[in-house]
């Protein structure tokens, strides 16, 4: 009973605060509904990015991966730090300069309307197959276990998942469709604070349990008992071999953080470039810390349960239910529910945005008001939600687990889209036909490799090879049949474009922080407990990083000083 009361209290608290914060916002215009009125600040952007990303898919899926393998799966999380730096420095300025509401808008300007349509359909299909259903399923998996839905309703595990999926799906659809992006971003920030507290509580309680009440004894015992589990480099047979970090994984991450409409829409809603860059980089720093919340629990679960858990995706929910007191259990369930809604709502909002502005408006909405276009987007969002609720429970049959299913299916859409956006921004004369040919070749080739040929080569390496081939094809076509006029990105003067003045210092620290994690969780650190050498390497690394950061700071201050002198002299 205490669990249910704390769950209802925190859920209503977030809903009430969100309502009063966004009450009176204009949700009848495209910018108001889809981009929060282009008013989002760095804190809201970072919080919303984190919670949109940190869904139960991460908690259940990544804990399952470390339960079965080791910490090598942390590459998805830790390497997102450098990816978000690249997005903040190179993509966000271009998006805001172009005044984009959706990523396909750029593709129409750069190539033509048919490329925009093609990519819009790819986005929408990807949401139906690899975004919404896994989020609903993972959320149902965790919440069904926490509330013991099968026992409460006297139904089977499968029926319990179906019921929970539909309950989450209906509530989430109402929340997203009627609230707009600003409501999603604000509630994300509140839930994000709760998620960090709850997410860190699980490993804390786990270490205390292993150490028989002593947290530090628990840490030492776990490391000494399973040093091989703390290896982030891993083996070639792991689900994420270390070599993939330098091939397909960086491409998938760049797509996800830099071009996926459901993610980048937060940065598109920034009030100016400074806030957009700040929010994205703060999220990059926080992503490096997430293995402590989503991966370490899997190793704790392995120590506590051994290999007795038949479905590794259930490891995390078992830990939460067995370790947390009831008064915290309700709070954590509410936070996890918020995380599900966040990821789910974000994708639904983006699906409505893409349909309204890239499909409905060009074909049927030329003489329609913004309100009519927004309403059509809401209707489409509800339809997408309905379909995803039918698909989600079927993921129970995925042979390699939830997280691996998600990443493999994403390959059909992620890198193909990123490829043409990459060529679009880095070249000026590659024509539209090149983008169309590259998309068709990429998607069909990857489908052939995954469904027919099935080579003994990791899917991320396959994506990297296809990326290089398709880039080469586009460049060759561009050389043979170039555009008549070179593409020039126009400044739409939508927001103020002064960059964040601390971006280089922060970038240096994020990169050093990322490398530190790999030094700690490798044969130089925890795995062999070679702490004396580890301290030396970390000291050298951070000395270099701080020196570089100070160099950038000095250079920035010198630039400000010179600009001030020019102003004074001009006034004199």
């Amino acid at each position: 009973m205490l669990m249910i009361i704390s769950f209802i209290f925190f859920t209503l608290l977030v809903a009430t605060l969100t309502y009063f914060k966004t009450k009176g916002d204009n949700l009848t215009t495209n910018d108001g509904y889809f981009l929060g009125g282009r008013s989002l600040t760095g804190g809201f952007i970072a919080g919303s990015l984190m919670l949109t990303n940190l869904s139960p898919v991460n908690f259940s899926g990544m804990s399952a991966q470390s339960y079965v393998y080791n910490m090598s799966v942390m590459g998805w999380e830790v390497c997102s730090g450098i990816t978000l730096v690249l997005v903040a420095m190179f993509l966000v300025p271009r998006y805001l300069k172009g005044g984009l509401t959706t990523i396909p808008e750029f593709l129409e300007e750069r190539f033509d309307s048919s490329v925009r349509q093609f990519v819009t359909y790819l986005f929408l299909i990807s949401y139906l197959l690899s975004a919404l259903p896994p989020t609903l399923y993972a959320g149902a998996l965790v919440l069904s276990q926490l509330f013991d839905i099968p026992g409460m309703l006297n139904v089977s595990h499968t029926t319990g998942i179906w019921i929970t999926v539909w309950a989450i799906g209906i509530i989430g659809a109402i929340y997203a469709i009627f609230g707009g992006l600003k409501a999603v971003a604000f509630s994300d920030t509140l839930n994000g604070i709760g998620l960090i507290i709850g997410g860190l509580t699980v490993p804390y309680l786990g270490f205390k349990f292993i150490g028989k009440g002593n947290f530090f004894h628990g840490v030492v015992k776990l490391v000494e008992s399973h040093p091989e589990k703390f290896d982030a480099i891993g083996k070639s047979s792991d689900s994420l071999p270390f070599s993939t970090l330098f091939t397909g994984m960086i491409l998938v991450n760049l797509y996800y953080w830099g071009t996926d409409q459901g993610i980048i829409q937060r940065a598109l809603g920034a009030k100016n470039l400074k806030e957009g860059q700040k929010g994205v980089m703060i999220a990059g720093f926080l992503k490096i810390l997430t293995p402590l919340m989503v991966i370490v629990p899997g190793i704790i679960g392995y120590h506590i349960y051994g290999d007795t858990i038949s479905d590794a995706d259930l490891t995390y929910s078992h830990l939460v239910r067995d370790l947390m007191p009831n008064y915290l259990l309700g709070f954590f369930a509410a936070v996890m529910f918020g995380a599900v809604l966040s990821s789910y709502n974000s994708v639904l909002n983006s699906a409505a945005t893409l349909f309204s502005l890239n499909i409905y408006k060009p074909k049927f909405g030329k003489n329609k008001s913004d309100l009519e276009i927004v309403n059509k987007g809401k209707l489409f969002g509800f339809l997408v939600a309905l379909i995803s609720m039918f698909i989600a429970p079927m993921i129970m049959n995925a042979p390699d687990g939830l997280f691996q299913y998600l990443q493999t299916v994403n390959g059909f859409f992620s890198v193909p889209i990123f490829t043409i956006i990459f060529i679009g921004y880095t070249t000026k004369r590659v024509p539209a036909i090149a983008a169309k040919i590259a998309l068709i070749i990429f998607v069909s080739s990857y489908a052939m490799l995954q469904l027919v040929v099935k080579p003994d080569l990791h899917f991320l390496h396959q994506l990297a090879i296809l990326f290089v081939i398709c880039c080469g094809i586009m460049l060759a076509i561009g050389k043979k049949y170039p555009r008549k006029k070179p593409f020039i990105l126009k400044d739409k003067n939508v927001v103020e474009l002064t960059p964040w003045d601390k971006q280089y210092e922060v970038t240096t620290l994020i990169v050093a922080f990322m490398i530190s994690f790999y030094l700690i969780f490798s044969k130089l650190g925890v795995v062999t407990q070679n702490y004396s050498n580890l301290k030396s390497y970390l000291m050298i690394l951070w000395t270099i990083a701080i020196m570089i950061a100070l160099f950038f700071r000095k250079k920035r201050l010198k630039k400000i000083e010179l600009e001030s002198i020019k102003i004074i002299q001009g006034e004199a």
Side-chain angles (χ1 to χ4, degrees), residues 192-403:
I193 295 169
L195 189 64
I196 291 171
I197 294 170
L200 291 174
T201 301
V202 174
Y204 172 76
L205 293 174
F207 284 128
K208 282 196 74 174
F209 178 83
I210 294 170
K212 301 187 185 306
N214 189 302
F215 173 82
F216 293 104
H217 287 175
V219 173
V220 172
K221 187 174 181 180
L222 187 67
V223 171
E224 289 179 346
S225 301
H226 311 285
E228 76 287 351
K229 286 283 184 181
F230 287 91
D231 184 8
I233 306 301
K235 310 173 201 172
S236 59
S237 58
D238 290 344
S239 62
L240 186 71
F242 187 67
S243 59
T244 60
L245 272 59
F246 307 97
T247 58
M249 199 207 69
I250 186 68
L251 298 173
V252 172
N253 266 348
L254 281 169
Y255 161 79
Y256 177 77
W257 292 109
T259 62
D260 187 323
Q261 183 69 30
I263 293 293
I264 201 62
Q265 195 159 328
R266 278 105 193 88
L268 298 181
K271 66 184 295 185
N272 54 46
L273 176 56
K274 176 184 176 181
E275 293 299 323
Q277 290 183 317
K278 187 191 298 183
V280 172
M281 285 193 174
I282 291 172
F285 177 80
L286 294 174
K287 278 300 291 179
I288 299 173
L289 292 170
T290 53
L292 302 176
M293 294 190 291
V294 302
I295 295 176
V296 170
I299 303 174
I300 293 172
Y302 182 81
H303 180 87
I304 294 174
Y305 305 117
D307 56 1
T308 59
I309 298 177
S310 56
D311 184 354
D313 285 332
L314 294 174
T315 305
Y316 192 82
S317 53
H318 276 307
L319 276 177
V320 173
R321 190 159 188 86
D322 292 344
L323 296 177
M324 275 196 174
N326 276 340
Y327 64 89
L328 277 180
L329 206 55
F331 160 74
F332 186 77
V335 167
M336 194 58 70
F337 181 64
V340 178
L341 291 186
S342 170
S343 299
Y344 184 65
N345 296 346
S346 299
V347 177
L348 279 185
N349 186 273
S350 297
T353 306
L354 288 167
F355 173 79
S356 299
L357 303 183
N358 294 337
I359 296 176
Y360 181 78
K361 186 177 180 179
K363 291 186 177 180
F364 312 105
K366 291 181 180 177
N367 299 315
K368 302 286 179 69
S369 67
D370 276 6
L371 179 60
E372 289 176 287
I373 293 170
V374 167
N375 285 336
K376 287 296 185 291
K378 290 178 179 179
L379 183 63
F380 180 77
F382 183 77
L383 178 63
V384 168
L386 199 64
I387 296 171
S388 68
M389 285 182 252
F390 280 104
I391 297 174
M394 300 177 188
I395 298 176
M396 279 187 284
N397 303 317
D400 297 319
L402 171 66
F403 193 74

Side-chain angles (χ1 to χ4, degrees), residues 468-537:
V468 172
I469 291 172
C470 289
C471 281
I473 290 171
M474 290 184 73
L475 292 172
I477 294 172
K479 189 171 183 178
K480 184 74 174 175
Y481 307 102
R483 280 174 56 124
K484 293 179 180 178
K485 294 182 180 179
F487 170 73
I488 298 173
L489 182 64
K490 298 175 182 176
D491 186 352
K492 301 288 182 61
N493 294 310
V494 174
V495 297
E496 209 274 320
L497 294 175
T498 302
W500 188 27
D501 56 4
K502 296 180 180 63
Q503 61 177 304
Y504 295 108
E505 295 97 308
V506 172
T507 295
T508 303
L509 298 179
I510 288 175
V511 172
F513 195 38
M514 182 187 75
I515 296 171
S516 297
F517 254 65
Y518 270 99
L519 288 175
I520 293 168
F521 298 107
S522 69
K523 291 182 180 179
L524 295 171
V526 172
V527 178
T528 56
Q529 300 167 43
N530 193 359
Y531 299 123
S532 58
N533 284 348
L534 175 64
K535 287 179 183 176
S536 300
Y537 283 116

Side-chain angles (χ1 to χ4, degrees), residues 52-247:
T52 301
N53 170 254
L54 276 180
S55 71
V57 172
N58 299 73
F59 286 90
S60 296
M62 288 194 162
S63 290
Q65 293 284 306
S66 59
Y67 175 85
V68 175
Y69 299 102
N70 47 48
M71 284 195 71
S72 58
V73 72
M74 86 174 192
W76 289 112
E77 301 296 299
V78 175
C79 291
S80 290
I82 188 63
T83 304
L84 282 161
V85 164
L86 294 173
V87 170
M89 294 179 73
F90 298 106
L91 288 179
V92 172
R94 288 169 170 78
Y95 292 157
L96 295 183
K97 181 180 180 180
L100 300 183
T101 303
T102 69
I103 298 302
E105 284 176 31
F106 160 72
L107 295 175
E108 180 171 19
E109 291 181 21
R110 176 60 182 83
F111 297 113
D112 62 21
S113 59
S114 58
V115 174
R116 173 180 178 170
Q117 294 286 310
F118 194 166
V119 171
T120 297
Y121 287 123
L122 279 181
F123 270 129
L124 293 176
I125 294 170
S126 75
Y127 292 163
L128 279 173
L129 295 180
S130 64
L132 292 170
T135 299
L136 284 177
Y137 172 66
L141 205 62
V142 173
L143 293 173
S144 176
Q145 290 292 309
L146 291 182
F147 286 105
D148 190 21
I149 300 296
M152 187 187 301
L153 301 178
N154 194 26
V155 297
S156 66
H157 170 71
T158 301
T159 304
I161 292 294
W162 274 93
I163 292 170
T164 315
V165 161
W166 277 78
I168 296 170
I170 291 170
I171 294 170
I174 294 170
Y175 193 96
I177 291 167
F178 294 103
L181 182 66
K182 191 171 181 180
V184 172
F186 183 76
S187 62
D188 282 355
T189 305
L190 298 178
N191 279 314
I193 295 169
L195 189 64
I196 291 171
I197 294 170
L200 291 174
T201 301
V202 174
Y204 172 76
L205 293 174
F207 284 128
K208 282 196 74 174
F209 178 83
I210 294 170
K212 301 187 185 306
N214 189 302
F215 173 82
F216 293 104
H217 287 175
V219 173
V220 172
K221 187 174 181 180
L222 187 67
V223 171
E224 289 179 346
S225 301
H226 311 285
E228 76 287 351
K229 286 283 184 181
F230 287 91
D231 184 8
I233 306 301
K235 310 173 201 172
S236 59
S237 58
D238 290 344
S239 62
L240 186 71
F242 187 67
S243 59
T244 60
L245 272 59
F246 307 97
T247 58

